[in-house]
């Protein structure tokens, strides 16, 4: 049996109340990891069905740098370190280019790209200090292609995640901190539920496997990247999209 090496490790998962984040938390719980679970949806986070007693749940807006700093401090106070970050928090929007307001543009970039940097920056010190860390970020199919329905700020923010992954990997590699990124296709999550039936049909038609993914199918890849099984995998952009994008 393959050993993930995640048992007893402190894993911070953002966006943990639903979708890929919740699926990730459940898989990590099955690996006996110690969990720090963040989300902005307090009721959903409290109700999230994730097993295990070694947990710290907190309502944290990743776009708020001060809140992120306080959140990481709480994780360090409880567990002493942060070994793994799987950053799933984000928002999805659709809008034609002429309809994107300045507020829309800045808010999406603030959450999706700014939030990712805020959390990565907050865990960078502890990870670098003990010479071991694993960071997994989430981009998007839209970062590869511009997307089918995604707005310009969404596609741009996720393209920025790809660049951030490379920069963090160049910084973290010599310190023993591995950084990778996943670009999901269409996943059956609450975030994608806003698209409607026609968009869903279009997405399935554009996917060679002719279906959408369930959250655990994507979450499992994030857990593998964070595990000892991927100990020499670094600075990778992994497409998990059923063949929708072929490089």
């Amino acid at each position: 049996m393959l050993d993930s090496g995640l048992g007893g490790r402190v894993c911070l998962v953002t966006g943990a109340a639903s979708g890929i984040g919740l699926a990730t938390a459940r898989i990590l719980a099955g690996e006996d990891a110690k969990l720090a679970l963040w989300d902005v949806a307090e009721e959903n986070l409290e109700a999230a069905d994730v097993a295990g007693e070694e947990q710290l749940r907190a309502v944290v807006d990743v776009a708020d740098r001060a809140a992120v700093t306080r959140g990481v401090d709480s994780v360090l106070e409880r567990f002493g370190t942060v070994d793994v970050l799987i950053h799933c928090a984000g928002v999805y929007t659709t809008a034609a280019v002429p309809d994107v307001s300045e507020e829309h543009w800045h808010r999406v970039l603030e959450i999706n790209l700014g939030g990712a940097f805020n959390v990565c920056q907050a865990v960078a010190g502890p990870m670098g200090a003990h010479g071991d860390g694993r960071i997994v970020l989430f981009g998007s199919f839209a970062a590869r292609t511009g997307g089918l329905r995604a707005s310009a700020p969404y596609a741009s923010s996720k393209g920025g995640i790809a660049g951030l992954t490379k920069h963090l990997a160049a910084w973290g590699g010599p310190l023993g901190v591995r950084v990778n990124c996943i670009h999901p296709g269409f996943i059956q999550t609450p975030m994608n539920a806003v698209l409607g039936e026609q968009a869903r049909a279009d997405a399935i038609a554009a996917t060679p496997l002719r279906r959408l993914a369930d959250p655990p199918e994507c979450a499992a890849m994030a857990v593998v990247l964070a595990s000892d099984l991927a100990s020499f995998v670094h600075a990778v952009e992994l497409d998990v999209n059923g063949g929708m994008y072929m490089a």
Side-chain angles (χ1 to χ4, degrees):
M1 183 175 179
L2 297 175
D3 184 3
S4 70
L6 291 170
R9 289 192 176 268
V10 180
C11 301
L12 169 58
V13 182
T14 68
S18 63
I20 296 171
L22 177 56
T24 299
R26 287 171 172 166
I27 296 172
L28 289 170
E31 295 294 319
D32 293 323
K34 299 176 181 179
L35 299 177
L37 306 178
W38 291 4
D39 206 286
V40 292
E42 183 174 6
E43 290 186 5
N44 291 345
L45 183 62
E46 290 179 354
D49 183 16
V50 180
E53 296 182 0
E54 291 283 1
Q55 289 185 29
L56 176 65
R57 302 189 186 196
V59 177
V60 178
D61 178 358
V62 297
D64 183 338
R65 183 174 294 195
V68 168
T69 299
R70 291 192 299 270
V72 170
D73 286 345
S74 295
V75 176
L76 295 175
E77 183 178 351
R78 170 72 179 273
F79 296 118
T81 190
V82 181
D83 298 303
V84 172
L85 165 63
I86 301 181
H87 179 68
C88 305
V91 294
Y92 178 82
T93 63
T94 61
V97 170
D99 299 327
V100 175
S101 67
E102 183 177 4
E103 180 183 5
H104 181 177
W105 173 269
H106 286 294
R107 185 57 180 161
V108 172
L109 269 292
E110 183 180 49
I111 295 171
N112 288 357
L113 185 54
F117 177 74
N118 289 343
V119 184
C120 289
Q121 184 182 51
V123 301
M127 286 185 177
H130 67 74
D132 183 23
R134 301 96 185 270
I135 295 174
V136 181
L137 301 179
F138 275 87
S140 169
F141 162 78
R144 297 293 209 184
T145 67
L148 293 179
R149 293 288 196 281
S151 66
Y154 179 82
S156 299
S157 69
K158 293 303 185 176
I161 292 292
L164 179 60
T165 298
K166 290 180 173 62
H167 184 89
L168 291 171
W171 163 82
L175 300 174
V177 180
R178 294 192 296 104
V179 187
N180 294 290
C181 169
I182 291 176
H183 292 306
F186 281 86
I187 316 295
Q188 298 191 95
T189 66
M191 190 164 71
N192 280 332
V194 301
L195 292 174
E197 287 305 313
Q198 185 57 54
R200 176 187 172 87
D202 292 345
I204 292 173
T207 303
L209 288 182
R210 294 295 187 267
R211 66 178 180 86
L212 306 185
D214 290 319
E217 293 179 285
C218 195
M221 295 300 97
V223 172
V224 168
L225 287 176
S227 76
D228 290 353
L229 301 174
S231 58
F232 203 61
V233 180
H234 186 54
V236 163
E237 295 177 58
L238 177 63
D239 293 294
V240 183
N241 57 38
M244 181 180 285
Y245 171 79
M246 301 184 188

